[in-house]
Amino acid sequence: MIRFLLKGILRDKSRSVLPILIISIGVALTVLLSGYIKGVFGDVITQNARFETGHVKIMTRAYAENIDQLPNDAALLETEALIGELKTEYPDMDFVQRIKFGGLIDIPDTAGNSKAQGPTIGLSFDILSQNTNEVKRMNLKNSIVQGRIPQNRGEALIGEEFSKKLKVKIGDVVTFFGTTMNGSMTFYAFKICGTIKFGLAALDKMAFIIDLKDAQMVLDMEDAAGEILGFLPNDVYNDMKTIEISETFNQKYKNSTDEFAPVMKPLKAQNDLEEVFNYGENMSGLFVFLFIIAMSIVLWNTGLLGGLRRYKEFGIRLALGEPKSGIYRSMILEAILVGLIGSCIGTLIGLGGTLYMQEVGIDISEYMKESTMIMPNTVRSKISSNLFYIGFIPGVLAMVIGNALSGIGIYKRETARLFKELEV
Amino acid sequence: MQDRDSGSCWFTIIKMEKEYIIELKNVVKRFPVGDGLFTALNQIDLRFEKGEFSGLVGPSGSGKTTLLNIIGSLDSPTEGNALVLGKDISKLTHKESALLRNHHIGFIFQVVNLLPVYTIFENVEFALLLQKYTASERKKAVMEALEWVGLEKIADKKPDKLSGGEGQRVAIARAMVKRPEILLADEPTANLDAANAHAILQTMVKLNQELNTTFIFSTHDEKVMKYLNRIIHLRDGKVESDDLIKSKENVPGT
Ligand SMILES: Nc1ncnc2c1ncn2[C@@H]1O[C@H](COP(=O)(O)OP(=O)(O)O)[C@@H](O)[C@H]1O
Ligand SMILES: [Mg+2]
């Protein structure tokens, strides 16, 4: 019987094409949108985790409060010991020190006078240790535009855009001016070994990257760091875990009144990411919901029209001895088949589009120029397992619901009445 | 249920002189029309034997279709009883009446009602899909039915390629493929030319004789009447006359 219905669907274009078209489009849109949201939010997580928030971040309370001002005077002290403690407690995780610092880059000419100057946001992390994960985590090697990554103390990377503005070349020596942890003035000469482009407008404009040890030396921050970032095993983010870890960590310092006591924040508690994610989830949930409702209504109506056209067929089938329940059931079965076909096509199109969007992406750097938010310059979708059903199931469901509604008409009509359609 | 039926059948045959396949007792059918009721069938009393080749004859609106619909359990009488193969039509549930149609009753309509998306083979096969046949049993039965009507060679064609006469022959094959006891044909020749009408009637006469199927026609076509061996005249929902005829074209046993 299924084979018979399938033949009917495939041959009777008017019965199948419109619903299949509607479902395919709806399902494809759902998949595309979900993949897009997933991709953008996944990127936002990854990028934020890498450059800013870690999966969890440990700071002093005072630092956390004024984090926008990069308050290194409130940095964590005895960081090596703290990291040691953290490592015994969470042996799978990677804990790393980061120092962010503001300052000025000055390019001297041969006479020692200032040729060019520009404010900078310095970023320092462990580049030079043998077993550092940071180089890979920051995708440093692939982000180099010219030159190479630092191999010795005293070498620095500079943002590609920044380097153009300052007209700095590889091999140039620049002077960094800044303030130490204790508030006194400091300056130090660095040799530019490479330019870098992360694809993050906020960073590329004014980035100055040096090894952690150099930063600690220049800023008088021996065994101190503004932030300790924690990363879950293999850098795979897990919402629940970060919250759980943060809660247990903060529990220990609950009763402390010290404003320099450490505090741990999970990724989502930073940079307003929580709101961003809730918004994204609500949007996609809402879209799928509206999609089912709208499609059901459209398919209900196409089902009604199709049903009217088919009263003659139903009459014949009644005459041949099929009960109404059988006809109704076969309508539902047909709806499932059409729904499956439409959902398959839609999912394939959606996945194809998502794959394209994952590989190629859309360049939004134009819109991000002035942004200080950590957002990738190219937004990409992401294929994930839920894309295989997120449109598929609603597609089938909408078709079945639509037809179940329209099929009720069969029960409402008397047998003889349906049969009468045969006389004309 | 089945067992008890066939068991009592044994006694019935002995007790009754004749085996009636259809018995209509004081059948009345009224339709709601406007505020009142319209009596389409009035006190119909008819019995049909197995193997009859009979026709309901009367002008349009005389109640022929209504009566066939009741016999075919597509409708039920307002008053009286219609017993078809021992089953009281008005007491059947929707499912039971569907089952009765499916196994025991075939229909042929005035308009050729084939499902356009299916081939001729599939149109005939459809009648068997509701029963438990294997694919090879279906194929055999369908090809045999198409041979009865002489269309086995064009089994794979679609209905839109057929002439009216061929279409009606497919409809006969579809109605007969499950070898029903009763075949109801509502003005089957109304849309056919004389040659096709005769061809179809001859096919039906042949099937009537070979399979001993009970045929009941509704018609006002003279051509059909020649073949009938019983003519029941209906007028305004009443039986006007009921005559047995030894028709030249249809002498049982030839
Ligand atoms: N469902 C119905 N509702 C109201 N009137 C009907 C209905 N079916 C048939 N009739 C009426 O009953 C009468 C007999 O109809 P029908 O059996 O179709 O006649 P015939 O087949 O002999 O032309 C006609 O007057 C017709 O209008
Ligand atoms: Mg009629």
Side-chain angles (χ1 to χ4, degrees):
Chain A
M1 197 67 177
I2 291 187
R3 266 221 342 248
F4 221 78
L5 294 177
L6 200 60
K7 274 187 209 161
I9 293 166
L10 294 178
R11 291 183 196 162
D12 184 357
K13 299 283 183 291
S14 61
R15 197 193 305 176
S16 48
V17 169
L18 188 62
I20 286 179
L21 208 70
I22 296 169
I23 296 171
S24 306
I25 293 172
V27 169
L29 283 178
T30 308
V31 172
L32 281 172
L33 187 83
S34 306
Y36 178 73
I37 288 179
K38 189 101 189 165
V40 170
F41 284 76
D43 274 352
V44 169
I45 286 188
T46 316
Q47 303 280 35
N48 270 281
R50 277 180 186 164
F51 292 102
E52 282 245 5
T53 63
H55 292 158
V56 296
K57 184 196 273 188
I58 301 152
M59 306 152 277
T60 65
R61 289 175 185 172
Y63 186 98
E65 219 144 89
N66 297 308
I67 189 158
D68 292 337
Q69 300 159 26
L70 309 175
N72 281 322
D73 53 335
L76 288 161
L77 302 177
E78 291 166 31
T79 45
E80 297 292 343
L82 183 53
I83 285 180
E85 262 175 55
L86 286 163
K87 284 224 162 121
T88 45
E89 209 154 328
Y90 307 103
D92 303 338
M93 286 180 67
D94 191 22
F95 290 96
V96 298
Q97 306 177 60
R98 297 267 176 100
I99 299 175
K100 279 192 272 180
F101 51 94
L104 205 69
I105 298 288
D106 183 274
I107 322 288
D109 60 15
T110 39
N113 295 323
S114 177
K115 194 170 70 178
Q117 256 185 8
T120 181
I121 302 281
L123 180 60
S124 72
F125 48 88
D126 186 357
I127 302 174
L128 297 176
S129 299
Q130 260 178 353
N131 54 355
T132 181
N133 293 323
E134 294 275 85
V135 172
K136 188 167 159 243
R137 177 173 295 131
M138 306 291 265
N139 199 19
L140 215 51
K141 284 188 177 137
N142 294 325
S143 306
I144 295 284
V145 183
Q146 302 173 55
R148 54 164 173 79
I149 68 170
Q151 284 165 357
N152 306 295
R153 296 283 296 268
E155 291 183 337
L157 291 170
I158 188 165
E160 163 77 6
E161 230 177 288
F162 198 25
S163 79
K164 285 199 180 119
K165 203 174 99 192
L166 298 178
K167 300 200 174 68
V168 179
K169 292 190 299 296
I170 310 295
D172 283 357
V173 173
V174 303
T175 314
F176 166 78
F177 288 91
T179 28
T180 67
M181 186 175 173
N182 308 313
S184 41
M185 164 100 160
T186 180
F187 56 93
Y188 198 86
F190 286 95
K191 192 174 152 196
I192 300 298
C193 66
T195 65
I196 194 153
K197 185 173 183 176
F198 287 117
L200 300 168
L203 263 176
D204 294 340
K205 267 191 299 199
M206 48 194 336
F208 178 69
I209 294 169
I210 55 178
D211 182 61
L212 181 73
K213 289 278 184 316
D214 277 341
Q216 286 175 328
M217 183 194 69
V218 173
L219 304 173
D220 257 343
M221 290 177 74
E222 301 296 332
D223 202 15
E227 307 170 352
I228 292 175
L229 305 192
F231 291 90
L232 292 168
N234 302 320
D235 280 14
V236 176
Y237 176 70
N238 179 328
D239 211 18
M240 293 309 290
K241 268 239 176 73
T242 60
I243 293 168
E244 198 184 291
I245 292 168
S246 304
E247 270 169 12
T248 31
F249 182 89
N250 293 332
Q251 193 67 24
K252 282 189 285 193
Y253 300 93
K254 197 176 65 176
N255 296 323
S256 166
T257 52
D258 185 358
E259 66 167 327
F260 297 112
V263 55
M264 188 189 276
K265 288 201 174 175
L267 175 139
K268 279 200 181 167
Q270 308 175 50
N271 289 5
D272 294 331
L273 287 175
E274 174 125 40
E275 280 106 88
V276 177
F277 282 96
N278 286 345
Y279 179 73
E281 259 162 40
N282 291 344
M283 284 304 284
S284 55
L286 189 71
F287 181 81
V288 172
F289 179 73
L290 287 178
F291 156 67
I292 298 189
I293 301 278
M295 297 264 281
S296 290
I297 291 170
V298 173
L299 293 168
W300 173 14
N301 283 294
T302 51
L304 276 178
L305 291 175
L308 282 178
R309 271 194 333 103
R310 292 177 67 192
Y311 274 141
K312 187 167 173 169
E313 178 195 333
F314 297 153
I316 295 171
R317 289 165 66 173
L318 281 172
L320 288 173
E322 194 168 357
K324 282 178 181 174
S325 59
I327 294 176
Y328 190 72
R329 214 178 312 133
S330 75
M331 268 183 84
I332 300 296
L333 210 61
E334 265 184 45
I336 293 174
L337 289 174
V338 168
L340 285 176
I341 296 172
S343 285
C344 273
I345 296 174
T347 301
L348 280 177
I349 294 173
L351 284 174
T354 306
L355 188 67
Y356 176 82
M357 284 284 293
Q358 177 175 305
E359 298 306 318
V360 179
I362 300 176
D363 192 348
I364 56 162
S365 49
E366 280 299 303
Y367 310 101
M368 298 306 292
K369 267 193 178 136
E370 302 307 316
S371 169
T372 51
M373 202 177 144
I374 297 242
M375 271 288 282
N377 282 346
T378 307
V379 287
R380 293 173 190 281
S381 295
K382 173 133 179 61
I383 293 207
S384 60
S385 56
N386 72 337
L387 293 189
F388 286 85
Y389 58 82
I390 197 151
F392 199 96
I393 293 172
V396 177
L397 223 62
M399 182 68 189
V400 171
I401 293 171
N403 274 266
L405 289 173
S406 63
I408 292 170
I410 293 181
Y411 279 103
K412 291 237 180 87
R413 297 202 119 191
E414 275 175 48
T415 307
R417 193 67 232 141
L418 276 166
F419 193 64
K420 264 256 182 306
E421 314 279 339
L422 298 179
E423 288 188 25
V424 272
Chain B
M1 207 54 190
Q2 207 71 29
D3 284 347
R4 210 172 58 200
D5 274 354
S6 54
S8 66
C9 191
W10 163 247
F11 295 103
T12 333
I13 290 169
I14 295 174
K15 266 198 297 202
M16 294 183 2
E17 298 139 68
K18 289 260 168 74
E19 184 190 355
Y20 292 117
I21 194 163
I22 298 160
E23 289 182 81
L24 305 173
K25 297 174 189 165
N26 295 321
V27 166
V28 175
K29 182 67 186 179
R30 293 196 184 91
F31 290 113
V33 173
D35 305 330
L37 290 170
F38 174 80
T39 307
L41 294 174
N42 198 354
Q43 303 278 339
I44 302 285
D45 249 308
L46 286 171
R47 271 159 259 278
F48 295 88
E49 287 172 44
K50 185 150 181 57
E52 270 193 35
F53 203 79
S54 52
L56 308 171
V57 177
S60 182
S62 56
K64 306 183 293 292
T65 298
T66 306
L67 191 54
L68 286 184
N69 282 354
I70 288 174
I71 295 172
S73 77
L74 285 164
D75 215 341
S76 54
T78 317
E79 285 170 26
N81 299 93
L83 295 170
V84 176
L85 294 163
K87 303 229 165 23
D88 190 338
I89 294 298
S90 42
K91 294 204 174 97
L92 295 181
T93 64
H94 174 77
K95 272 231 165 85
E96 287 167 339
S97 67
L99 212 63
L100 179 70
R101 285 196 295 278
N102 187 9
H103 286 267
H104 305 292
I105 301 172
F107 289 89
I108 297 168
F109 315 100
Q110 174 179 340
V111 183
V112 179
N113 282 301
L114 299 176
L115 302 178
V117 294
Y118 296 107
T119 63
I120 288 159
F121 182 94
E122 287 162 348
N123 262 282
V124 178
E125 187 187 20
F126 195 90
L128 297 178
L129 283 176
L130 301 168
Q131 296 178 27
K132 288 186 176 58
Y133 288 100
T134 66
S136 63
E137 283 169 342
R138 283 204 302 269
K139 177 153 199 218
K140 190 163 163 276
V142 172
M143 288 317 288
E144 193 179 2
L146 286 174
E147 275 168 34
W148 292 336
V149 297
L151 293 178
E152 70 278 11
K153 295 222 171 59
I154 54 166
D156 292 331
K157 284 218 175 120
K158 290 277 177 62
D160 57 4
K161 300 275 188 297
L162 300 181
S163 69
E166 286 171 328
Q168 203 57 306
R169 271 146 71 193
V170 176
I172 294 172
R174 180 177 63 189
M176 291 299 295
V177 67
K178 59 195 178 188
R179 296 166 182 263
E181 277 92 334
I182 300 166
L183 193 125
L184 306 173
D186 197 356
E187 313 207 22
T189 58
N191 291 341
L192 299 181
D193 58 32
N196 273 311
H198 283 295
I200 277 175
L201 282 158
Q202 276 153 16
T203 305
M204 293 208 263
V205 168
K206 188 183 72 183
L207 289 170
N208 168 245
Q209 289 170 359
E210 280 175 16
L211 305 174
N212 202 26
T213 310
T214 307
F215 277 73
I216 304 176
F217 288 82
S218 102
T219 190
H220 50 242
D221 182 351
E222 292 291 338
K223 295 188 287 297
V224 177
M225 287 181 230
K226 282 206 298 183
Y227 290 85
L228 300 174
N229 45 35
R230 177 183 177 188
I231 293 179
I232 299 154
H233 277 278
L234 287 185
R235 183 172 291 278
D236 298 334
K238 280 195 179 130
V239 176
E240 209 178 39
S241 65
D242 183 354
D243 306 306
L244 283 178
I245 294 156
K246 282 270 182 279
S247 133
K248 293 197 287 293
E249 275 80 2
N250 185 10
V251 182
T254 48

